[in-house]
Amino acid sequence: GNSVTQMEGPVTLSEEAFLTINCTYTATGYPSLFWYVQYPGEGLQLLLKATKADDKGSNKGFEATYRKETTSFHLEKGSVQVSDSAVYFCALRPGAGSYQLTFGKGTKLSVIP
Amino acid sequence: ETGVTQSPTHLIKTRGQQVTLRCSSQSGHNTVSWYQQALGQGPQFIFQYYREEENGRGNFPPRFSGLQFPNYSSELNVNALELDDSALYLCASSPGQGILNTGELFFGEGSRLTVL
């Protein structure tokens, strides 16, 4: 079946530090990959996505590249801010004909001034 | 543009009771899905509705059921509540099927259910 594994948290970083949150997946076919973010007191919202191998998704300074050879979609940001403190979820959609998302367990990020 | 709204935000039930959770989808969205998020876990897909019919279901028992109404709002019903049903229940809407389906879901803030 489909599954997503992401690094355990919580992760605590100082402001302006480099962020990497690892995500690997198992899926048949050609899934689409997503990062969702959940800020405190808010609903989940899409951060970025990639729909095919070697695509790079980017938004708000965050980036992730769809690596089919390593079945990975690691999230990176060069310089985090306090406002980036949130829970980050990696997710996959199995194919264009499917509407179900499979999520990882989430990684809580805390950025301290 | 009104986002996805859910009600109630919090509720407490006892084992064996039944619960109904409600969701209004974002304007223009005709597909609604429900997810269960246990504490410390990622959301798990329960089912999805499109044009008032269920068109996808995750690994949840039949006591989890739903409805979608002509205005695309939706309900999640859970019968015979168990302690393990305690979770945050998330509703998500999306703008359509086929080429309109980009895979992005728009989530509400959830209904937190506690079963005692």
Side-chain angles (χ1 to χ4, degrees):
Chain A
N2 301 313
S3 66
V4 173
T5 303
Q6 59 182 107
M7 63 185 285
E8 298 277 332
V11 174
T12 302
L13 295 174
S14 298
E15 206 165 22
E16 299 184 1
F18 184 84
L19 169 71
T20 300
I21 301 178
N22 290 335
C23 171
T24 56
Y25 68 89
T26 301
T28 55
Y30 303 95
S32 295
L33 301 173
F34 304 84
W35 277 99
Y36 277 80
V37 60
Q38 190 169 35
Y39 296 104
E42 298 184 17
L44 280 163
Q45 56 187 270
L46 180 67
L47 180 60
L48 53 83
K49 68 179 183 182
T51 57
K52 61 183 187 296
D54 301 325
D55 268 2
K56 178 186 282 188
S58 61
N59 187 25
K60 299 182 181 180
F62 291 88
E63 293 183 341
T65 301
Y66 187 163
R67 301 285 189 200
K68 188 169 175 61
E69 63 276 12
T70 55
T71 61
S72 65
F73 193 54
H74 305 322
L75 182 68
E76 297 183 335
K77 187 175 185 182
S79 176
V80 294
Q81 305 301 312
V82 172
S83 58
D84 294 326
S85 298
V87 182
Y88 292 82
F89 293 91
C90 185
L92 71 82
R93 184 180 65 149
S98 171
Y99 312 107
Q100 170 182 342
L101 291 184
T102 298
F103 285 87
K105 291 185 176 182
T107 303
K108 182 176 182 180
L109 170 66
S110 297
V111 180
I112 55 177
Chain B
E1 183 175 81
T2 306
V4 177
T5 58
Q6 294 185 239
S7 64
T9 54
H10 295 81
L11 69 166
I12 300 173
K13 293 285 188 177
T14 56
R15 198 170 43 182
Q17 286 189 311
Q18 178 266 344
V19 68
T20 298
L21 308 178
R22 296 178 174 83
C23 171
S24 292
S25 61
Q26 185 162 317
S27 177
H29 289 184
N30 58 16
T31 302
V32 173
S33 50
W34 287 89
Y35 287 78
Q36 181 195 65
Q37 186 178 11
L39 197 62
Q41 302 294 315
Q44 285 200 302
F45 176 73
I46 303 175
F47 43 55
Q48 177 173 284
Y49 279 83
Y50 172 63
R51 291 185 175 175
E52 303 177 53
E53 291 194 4
E54 183 182 299
N55 74 342
R57 189 176 184 93
N59 189 25
F60 280 81
R63 60 189 185 85
F64 286 77
S65 63
L67 285 172
Q68 187 181 31
F69 300 100
N71 67 353
Y72 306 132
S73 65
S74 178
E75 287 182 355
L76 165 66
N77 299 290
V78 187
N79 294 321
L81 284 168
E82 301 177 359
L83 298 180
D84 285 349
D85 296 332
S86 295
L88 181 67
Y89 288 85
L90 298 169
C91 173
S93 71
S94 53
Q97 306 282 290
I99 61 171
L100 294 179
N101 186 347
T102 63
E104 178 175 2
L105 298 182
F106 295 79
F107 284 86
E109 293 185 26
S111 294
R112 184 164 296 283
L113 171 65
T114 301
V115 182
L116 302 177

